[in-house]
Amino acid sequence: MTEFETILVDTRGKVGWITLNRPDALNALNTQVMHEVVVAASAFDADDGIGAIVVTGSERAFAAGADIKEMEDKSGLDMVMSDHFGGWAQFAAVRTPVIAAVSGYALGGGCELAMMCDIILAADTAKFGQPEITLGVIPGMGGSQRLVRAVGAYKAADLILTGRMMDAAEAERSGLVSRVVPAAELLDEAQKLADGIAAKSLPSLFAAKAVLDAALESSLSEGLRLERHVFASLFDTADQKEGMAAFREKRPPGFENR
Ligand code: CAA
């Protein structure tokens, strides 16, 4: 895989790992990080030996936001013409399930990056927030939209209008985080969770992710129609035959991603 400067990339079993690695800036997300994460995630997505991706940071910070120093002198026109955060849409469009393993700060763009993932696993040290209002701006990588869908309008307004942080327990209660684990166990737990997902049939994982994403964007009737169609289409895969035969024969399935 390509050489990277701001992230570490490796493969553990069928799981692709992307570790944000700008320790001096608490993993602030500058343009280079965005491009590198997109390249790495797209390469994992194109590899059918990879069944899940984990994105993580350091113990101290998942990511403390978009890089303020990179942005501060830009004009509105600069932001528009460069489509400053535009590349992140490619990350959010990855078909492979993505887990955010969050320890420490997940603020601003860091919280928004976690919300582009499918599952957020948090260390008990994790702190989430959208502090952009304290900088005289608002969330710009999807926070105002994804946070409302994740935690509801009123909790999202509380966070976005005050800029306050919420701890891992509150984030779990609010439905942002699926599970909180002791910080020392975060990476092992993320690997276990990802291994469990990656053992499934990739076509069914792609399908599940697509209909879950659609649930956030469509009406109930449209979503149900899409689900019925996608559900039926999986009956043309060899893995559906294998999965159901394995159930009948009381053995584990051997999926081949076809
Ligand atoms: N951008 C650029 N640099 C950052 C950064 C960011 N978002 N967050 C931290 N850093 C840098 C600091 O400037 C500091 O660098 P120097 O040593 O060169 O000064 C280094 O990381 C360590 O940070 P602190 O000394 O501030 O560490 P701390 O422990 O005292 O505080 C913190 C930690 C509370 C997270 C604090 O760093 C902080 O408030 N960071 C900014 C959080 C923020 O506002 N994020 C939103 C950014 S805007 C955004 O994300 C827009 C969007 O929607 C996409």
Side-chain angles (χ1 to χ4, degrees), residues 28 64-74 79 85 107-110 112 129-140 159-164:
D67 192 318
I68 298 167
K69 294 165 190 168
E70 184 185 54
M71 289 185 293
E72 69 171 298
D73 293 327
K74 291 194 189 294
M79 297 299 271
F85 298 131
L107 301 177
E112 293 166 298
Q130 297 289 161
E132 290 88 346
I133 205 80
T134 64
L135 300 168
V137 291
I138 63 167
L159 291 160
I160 289 172
L161 298 179
T162 65
R164 76 175 177 88

Side-chain angles (χ1 to χ4, degrees), residues 195-220:
D195 282 340
I197 292 170
K200 309 294 188 291
S201 163
L202 208 46
S204 65
L205 291 172
F206 287 170
K209 179 162 170 165
V211 295
L212 283 165
D213 285 347
L216 296 174
E217 303 211 16
S218 56
S219 67
L220 179 60

Side-chain angles (χ1 to χ4, degrees), residues 120-199:
I120 304 178
L121 188 64
D124 49 11
T125 56
K127 286 190 165 57
F128 297 86
Q130 297 289 161
E132 290 88 346
I133 205 80
T134 64
L135 300 168
V137 291
I138 63 167
M141 274 171 56
S144 63
Q145 305 304 300
R146 290 197 175 95
L147 196 60
V148 168
R149 285 162 172 77
V151 304
Y154 296 98
K155 177 71 87 175
D158 171 3
L159 291 160
I160 289 172
L161 298 179
T162 65
R164 76 175 177 88
M165 293 184 209
M166 68 174 164
D167 65 16
E170 184 182 357
E172 186 182 28
R173 276 200 310 279
S174 308
L176 179 65
V177 154
S178 69
R179 204 145 46 88
V180 180
V181 299
E185 293 165 26
L186 179 69
L187 301 186
D188 286 346
E189 289 297 327
Q191 180 74 41
K192 266 190 241 162
L193 176 58
D195 282 340
I197 292 170

Side-chain angles (χ1 to χ4, degrees), residues 52-134:
I53 298 169
V54 177
V55 178
T56 194
S58 67
E59 246 179 85
R60 191 162 163 226
F62 177 73
D67 192 318
I68 298 167
K69 294 165 190 168
E70 184 185 54
M71 289 185 293
E72 69 171 298
D73 293 327
K74 291 194 189 294
S75 68
L77 188 61
D78 293 335
M79 297 299 271
V80 170
M81 294 311 284
S82 64
D83 192 14
H84 191 70
F85 298 131
W88 289 114
Q90 283 172 264
F91 174 77
V94 158
R95 296 178 307 162
T96 309
V98 186
I99 296 163
V102 176
S103 180
Y105 299 112
L107 301 177
C111 186
E112 293 166 298
L113 174 59
M115 290 191 290
M116 288 176 211
C117 302
D118 302 297
I119 298 175
I120 304 178
L121 188 64
D124 49 11
T125 56
K127 286 190 165 57
F128 297 86
Q130 297 289 161
E132 290 88 346
I133 205 80
T134 64

